[in-house]
Amino acid sequence: MSLSTLFDEVTVSDMMSAWPSKPALHAPPDGSRLPGIVNAELLNGYLDTGTAPAEQLVVIKDGAALHSRAYTTDGYLDPGKVAKWRSRGYTIQLRNLHRWCPQVHAICAAIQDETGYGTYATGFVTPAGGQGLHHHWDQNMGFVYQLAGRKTWQIWEPGVEEPHREQFASNTWPGSDVLDRMKSMRPDFEFDLGPGQILVLPRGWMHNPHARSQTEESVHVTFVARERTGYWIAGKLAQAALTSTPLRRVISPASVVDPAAFAAQVADARDMLTDWLTGADVKALAAELLQAARTEPNVDYVSHAPSQIGQHHSIR
């Protein structure tokens, strides 16, 4: 149950050699098990029985989320309260489905094994005429699988280049400023996503998803592939450099708090890291990183906080 569960063989082959950079519509291939595994009944069943983990739910309308006390009782999801908010036009977001739904976990794990991209999934149940999230872009690729009803997706070309992790996120500066400017522009694409369709939505493409013009409840699941980048490799290499004894040596307090002395320490650390990397066994490291890419489990829905270190070097 890998990418071939979502896409036909030709599309999968194209994706593996050239990762999509523009939005596109697809449908699961004939004979795919996907509709029988992930469907509206699965998501609604968790909400109707109260068996979804309350800490993984967000109840949101027009960009404003409720406190968890509004839809829980004694810390557990309360189906009656959830139904009340749904009737009032609130979207239910079910985060990290791969952590607590075995069917979704199997798909995400298979995609990660096939691509090396850590994968998670988020579900959305939006009442007819409603909207949960407003304009934003994501930091990773999304495969939006519509399960029931219809949802309108207004999509704009990226206003920032290669957003990644906290860098140029749409909810933090300077990305938020770009977001505000882009809202006044006409969308470059508009899709009315129907049951069984899959929207490929690359990172950085601003979107405004809503069911405002719909007469039926919209249900979809987004599979998010967290792509690997040179930044990821560099971080892993820096961790591996812990085997370097010189890099593990303590720096005296005086050499930390004195600006000139600390600048020299930074230069020394850079040079020691460069020397270590030059002598490292690239093939052995690549084998270790590939294993990590295919198996590391700490991939979840996250809201990135802004980072100030190095920010002034990255803004263009």
Side-chain angles (χ1 to χ4, degrees):
M1 291 191 295
S2 55
L3 286 176
S4 59
T5 306
L6 282 71
F7 307 103
D8 60 67
E9 292 183 4
V10 173
T11 300
V12 172
S13 177
D14 290 343
M15 283 184 171
M16 292 296 288
S17 59
W19 196 238
S21 60
K22 292 184 178 181
L25 288 183
H26 294 270
D30 293 339
S32 173
R33 297 170 54 196
L34 186 62
I37 297 171
V38 182
N39 47 56
E41 289 75 19
L42 177 70
L43 268 60
N44 279 317
Y46 283 117
L47 301 179
D48 295 340
T49 61
T51 50
E55 69 276 9
Q56 295 294 351
L57 258 66
V58 177
V59 180
I60 186 169
K61 181 178 181 181
D62 296 329
L66 298 175
H67 191 281
S68 61
R69 287 193 298 267
Y71 50 88
T72 59
T73 298
D74 297 329
Y76 294 95
L77 192 65
D78 187 318
K81 292 180 179 179
V82 170
K84 176 186 69 174
W85 293 116
R86 291 172 71 175
S87 71
R88 296 182 181 180
Y90 279 78
T91 290
I92 311 298
Q93 182 184 18
L94 301 92
R95 294 182 173 179
N96 298 320
L97 282 167
H98 65 296
R99 291 290 191 183
W100 47 275
C101 177
Q103 300 95 317
V104 173
H105 170 82
I107 295 173
C108 292
I111 292 175
Q112 179 169 354
D113 181 67
E114 180 180 30
T115 63
Y117 294 171
T119 304
Y120 65 89
T122 303
F124 291 85
V125 179
T126 301
Q131 180 168 12
L133 300 176
H134 278 186
H135 299 73
H136 68 284
W137 64 76
D138 299 309
Q139 303 297 87
N140 295 100
M141 170 67 77
F143 302 132
V144 183
Y145 177 40
Q146 189 72 17
L147 308 180
R150 307 187 74 87
K151 195 164 224 179
T152 300
W153 290 78
Q154 296 175 310
I155 304 174
W156 290 256
E157 289 189 1
V160 298
E161 186 177 6
E162 303 292 353
H164 185 57
R165 292 182 176 264
E166 68 276 358
Q167 187 68 26
F168 292 124
S170 60
N171 63 339
T172 61
W173 186 88
S176 55
D177 289 350
V178 176
L179 182 80
D180 289 338
R181 292 198 301 270
M182 291 176 66
K183 286 180 183 179
S184 63
M185 304 176 187
R186 293 179 61 85
D188 297 292
F189 295 92
E190 185 164 325
F191 299 109
D192 189 24
L193 205 62
Q197 290 186 304
I198 298 173
L199 170 62
V200 172
L201 185 61
R203 62 176 176 163
W205 286 75
M206 186 175 78
H207 46 283
N208 180 42
H210 63 84
R212 294 192 180 277
S213 58
Q214 306 302 329
T215 58
E216 297 180 6
E217 178 182 76
S218 167
V219 183
H220 78 263
V221 168
T222 299
F223 296 94
V224 178
R226 190 167 291 172
E227 300 104 330
R228 304 301 179 188
T229 64
Y231 182 83
W232 179 79
I233 294 175
K236 292 294 187 182
L237 290 177
Q239 292 175 13
L242 273 171
T243 58
S244 167
T245 300
L247 280 169
R248 299 200 310 273
R249 291 195 177 114
V250 174
I251 302 171
S252 69
S255 294
V256 173
V257 298
D258 177 80
F262 190 55
Q265 291 292 336
V266 171
D268 287 345
R270 177 201 60 199
D271 294 342
M272 286 186 287
L273 179 59
T274 301
D275 290 343
W276 182 88
L277 290 172
T278 300
D281 186 335
V282 174
K283 289 185 177 180
L285 284 171
E288 293 180 17
L289 294 184
L290 176 57
Q291 178 66 12
R294 285 179 163 162
T295 60
E296 63 180 2
N298 58 336
V299 178
D300 285 320
Y301 180 100
V302 292
S303 296
H304 294 293
S307 173
Q308 299 300 318
I309 298 176
Q311 189 93 286
H312 58 286
H313 296 298
S314 304
I315 299 171
R316 297 288 184 267

